[in-house]
């Protein structure tokens, strides 16, 4: 049986840069060596259908460095 990213990613939490007034935020979760990013505005979708952008942890760190954290 194949598992999904939704089953593998844990520890989901909202970005510390969340903009509450516009509900413009992302959540970040993890799996060994990977980081998942998803949109908080899609909370009402069934968990198994919510889109997740999955990056290697090193690529996610490089993205944060590029964005200036």
């Amino acid at each position: 049986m194949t598992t999904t990213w939704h089953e593998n990613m844990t520890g989901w939490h909202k970005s510390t840069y969340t903009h509450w007034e516009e509900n413009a935020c992302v959540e970040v979760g993890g799996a060994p060596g990977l980081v998942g990013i998803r949109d908080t505005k899609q909370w009402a979708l069934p968990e198994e259908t919510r889109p997740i952008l999955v990056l290697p942890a090193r690529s996610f760190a490089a993205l944060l460095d590029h964005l200036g954290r």
Side-chain angles (χ1 to χ4, degrees):
M1 183 171 161
T2 304
T3 59
T4 66
W5 291 119
H6 300 280
E7 294 168 315
N8 289 324
M9 295 284 169
T10 61
W12 290 102
H13 60 279
K14 288 184 183 178
S15 166
T16 57
Y17 293 98
T18 296
H19 193 273
W20 294 104
E21 293 83 20
E22 295 177 13
N23 195 24
C25 48
V26 296
E27 294 174 303
V28 178
L34 299 170
V35 175
I37 305 167
R38 66 184 184 187
D39 188 344
T40 58
K41 291 186 294 286
Q42 297 176 333
W43 64 269
L45 292 175
E47 186 72 20
E48 64 276 1
T49 65
R50 287 182 74 180
I52 299 174
L53 175 63
V54 179
L55 301 171
R58 290 177 53 138
S59 296
F60 182 72
L63 173 64
L64 293 181
D65 286 340
H66 177 75
L67 296 174
R69 293 189 189 240

